[in-house]
Amino acid sequence: MIGSQSSPRSADLNSDGTLDFVIGAGKNEYEYTESGILAINGLDGELLWTQETEDQVFGSATFLDVNKDGIPDVFIGGRGPHLKAIDGQSGKLIWGFDTLAHLKHPVLKYARFNFNNSVTIPDQNGDGIDELLTSNGGNARIAPNETEGRYPGVLMVINPVNGEVLAADTMPDAGETYLSPLFISQEKSGTLQILFGTGGETLPGNLYLAELSDLMENNLSKSKALVSEKGHGFIASPVIVDLNRDGFLDFVGISHASTITAINGKSLNKIWQLELPDTECSNSFAVGQFTDDDIPDLFTFASKGVWPENTGLVQVLIDGKSGELLLKKEMGCTGFSSPIAYDLNNDDMDEVIFSINEYDCSRAIDDRSAFLIENKLMLMDFKADTTYLLDQARGFKNVFSTPWIGDLDSDGYLDLVHCQYFSHGDILSFLGMKIKRIDLPIKVREKPLWGAFMGSEGNGIYKK
């Protein structure tokens, strides 16, 4: 009776030389479960441990060894609010974020909603251990287009050893946040920056850049709005990639209105901008070499129609150098997972793998009557202009989970891991889940750069 809006992340938790997987899970919204966080043995799929949660854990895991036992520990967040640090080996709780302890704090009193994904940043308190950068925001009990009861999102730096909040401030525009913040270290200039965003499906918002030093002083007022959107915000995670080969990492973000903007990381000017009319987007990108030049390109998909009445998906390939729309396909219905990329056939161009759901796309997302749905895992080969079916399951769906690809057992061959969720009613209900490992007959030539949600390192950075 559980399901997930999380994506699997990998680390060796039992020291057997095979990567294991952690994924957030839960029952339906606002329901307690003993299986809110799952650690899965990569060798045989058995559970290593579970952690109880009061609500759905939609975040994906961040790994950091804070107890110095040689095993990565797990940091993962979601609704509730929920942010937990878990011993990676035993599954025992190290600490949990305590909302009640901060109710009188001028900033942290707002951190009582959803915890988004975290990333690590360099050590800030001198203990030799990296810190966590994360955000908290949103209010799931407020209906679309309602403004009453919405509170400013909070960006914070947390000591992963004990959960202490080292720095925090509210969003510069006092908006909500659903976006997982990213950390950028510009090696050519030595600057340490944070990319974060505000707004939602029906709320305006901005994509911001701030100096890490300003956040450590609890002050985001100097943040620069790189892109603004009316009527929509920024939900999907941006990506960080050098698009002009100048040695500076550039930023590519997509608003919920499906406006894609590439920002020069040195000048902060727009490199290019592309709009996808009549669509909305909560999906992040896959970054890879999808064309025959040496500039990385982007692939994602957007939803046709207006939330929550979306009526299908549009897959798009975008030239990273020019922002030109190179390819547009329409496959599947509602889905908010993100694609991954790898050169599977050794033709010097990456292919993409993504999940789609096939059913009557005209159904309302809150329609709870029984219906037939089929989940399909697809591979798109741009060079051959061909799409392949990798896996399928009737009576199953996947709305949120991004697949994973890599060499799980160090045998020199790729493994593919993906999630499917039992379905006989509405799209969003949690009714049971399965996670599949597929042993591919494809040799690993290079380590995947974009083999998981937000990239193989989980930090949104594409860097060879």
Side-chain angles (χ1 to χ4, degrees):
M1 297 304 296
I2 64 170
S4 178
Q5 298 177 354
S6 175
S7 297
R9 292 246 173 97
S10 59
D12 186 358
L13 300 180
N14 56 7
S15 300
D16 66 351
T18 297
L19 294 174
D20 308 302
F21 289 88
V22 175
I23 188 169
K27 289 188 176 180
N28 290 310
E29 215 164 9
Y30 314 122
E31 293 183 9
Y32 167 86
T33 177
E34 294 180 350
S35 303
I37 304 165
L38 312 175
I40 300 161
N41 190 323
L43 190 64
D44 57 16
E46 295 296 319
L47 285 175
L48 295 174
W49 49 257
T50 66
Q51 256 286 339
E52 63 180 2
T53 58
E54 298 296 329
D55 207 336
Q56 297 169 345
V57 179
F58 62 82
S60 297
T62 298
F63 297 105
L64 195 60
D65 182 9
V66 296
N67 55 18
K68 301 298 184 180
D69 64 354
I71 304 294
D73 302 305
V74 177
F75 302 85
I76 191 167
R79 307 187 193 280
H82 167 95
L83 179 63
K84 284 186 175 181
I86 304 164
D87 183 288
Q89 184 174 32
S90 68
K92 293 181 179 179
L93 183 69
I94 298 175
W95 55 261
F97 185 83
D98 185 358
T99 307
L100 297 178
H102 303 295
L103 290 180
K104 294 184 179 180
H105 191 280
V107 172
L108 296 178
K109 66 180 180 181
Y110 298 114
R112 61 182 191 272
F113 299 105
N114 306 314
F115 271 103
N116 302 305
N117 287 349
S118 61
V119 293
T120 60
I121 64 171
D123 177 24
Q124 299 294 304
N125 60 1
D127 66 356
I129 298 175
D130 288 348
E131 321 298 353
L132 296 176
L133 171 70
T134 190
S135 63
N136 181 288
N139 187 347
R141 298 182 185 274
I142 305 301
N145 297 301
E146 284 189 16
T147 55
E148 188 71 24
R150 298 190 183 273
Y151 300 94
V154 179
L155 192 65
M156 61 183 79
V157 173
I158 295 177
N159 180 349
V161 175
N162 56 18
E164 177 190 3
V165 179
L166 301 179
D169 197 11
T170 52
M171 298 292 116
D173 58 4
E176 288 187 329
T177 187
Y178 299 93
L179 188 145
S180 300
L182 299 180
F183 169 72
I184 309 109
S185 175
Q186 294 286 14
E187 294 180 358
K188 287 195 73 171
S189 63
T191 55
L192 305 179
Q193 301 167 316
I194 299 168
L195 196 62
F196 62 101
T198 62
E201 289 97 343
T202 60
L203 298 174
N206 300 280
L207 185 64
Y208 285 104
L209 184 70
E211 300 293 322
L212 174 60
S213 58
D214 288 337
L215 176 58
M216 294 309 300
E217 294 177 359
N218 306 298
N219 185 1
L220 291 174
S221 64
K222 297 178 183 177
S223 303
K224 178 177 177 59
L226 302 176
V227 193
S228 300
E229 191 75 72
K230 295 181 179 179
H232 300 265
F234 292 81
I235 297 174
S237 297
V239 293
I240 301 168
V241 52
D242 186 356
L243 292 178
N244 53 14
R245 290 291 187 259
D246 65 352
F248 282 84
L249 292 169
D250 307 309
F251 323 128
V252 185
I254 183 166
S255 72
H256 189 258
S258 295
T259 301
I260 305 170
T261 308
I263 302 292
N264 186 302
K266 181 179 180 181
S267 67
L268 303 186
N269 295 323
K270 289 180 185 177
I271 300 174
W272 50 257
Q273 190 170 70
L274 173 68
E275 297 181 5
L276 306 175
D278 304 316
T279 69
E280 297 179 340
C281 190
S282 298
N283 309 66
S284 190
F285 301 96
V287 186
Q289 299 289 346
F290 304 137
T291 58
D292 56 7
D293 62 24
D294 63 348
I295 303 296
D297 308 295
L298 304 135
F299 177 85
T300 190
F301 33 99
S303 301
K304 295 192 292 183
V306 178
W307 168 263
E309 306 299 331
N310 298 127
T311 57
L313 290 181
V314 178
Q315 290 80 26
V316 292
L317 172 64
I318 301 127
D319 186 282
K321 183 177 182 180
S322 65
E324 179 186 356
L325 181 62
L326 299 176
L327 182 70
K328 180 179 178 182
K329 301 272 189 180
E330 294 189 12
M331 302 169 58
C333 302
T334 296
F336 306 111
S337 62
S338 298
I340 57 175
Y342 190 77
D343 181 6
L344 294 159
N345 57 7
N346 199 23
D347 65 354
D348 297 322
M349 284 175 57
D350 292 325
E351 291 76 49
V352 292
I353 297 173
F354 57 94
S355 178
I356 63 170
N357 302 305
E358 290 193 342
Y359 60 94
D360 178 6
C361 294
S362 65
R363 287 179 58 92
I365 200 168
D366 57 355
D367 184 347
R368 301 205 171 210
S369 60
F371 71 105
L372 181 64
I373 188 170
E374 184 170 22
N375 177 250
K376 294 183 176 181
L377 190 67
M378 310 300 297
L379 183 147
M380 191 173 287
D381 183 338
F382 302 117
K383 195 168 187 177
D385 192 22
T386 306
T387 300
Y388 302 93
L389 176 64
L390 295 179
D391 192 28
Q392 64 191 116
R394 300 192 79 179
F396 284 80
K397 63 191 175 186
N398 174 26
V399 182
F400 296 97
S401 297
T402 295
W404 180 97
I405 195 169
D407 186 0
L408 191 151
D409 49 11
S410 301
D411 67 349
Y413 288 85
L414 288 170
D415 300 280
L416 180 62
V417 175
H418 75 112
C419 306
Q420 294 171 322
Y421 305 94
F422 179 66
S423 179
H424 68 75
D426 68 294
I427 298 299
L428 299 181
S429 288
F430 287 0
L431 300 167
M433 62 185 286
K434 62 181 176 182
I435 300 178
K436 292 182 179 180
R437 171 190 170 185
I438 302 171
D439 195 12
L440 298 175
I442 300 173
K443 287 187 176 181
V444 179
R445 291 175 296 276
E446 295 181 348
K447 182 181 177 181
L449 296 178
W450 214 266
F453 177 56
M454 293 174 66
S456 295
E457 301 299 323
N459 58 12
I461 300 174
Y462 180 93
K463 191 174 181 181
K464 288 192 171 182

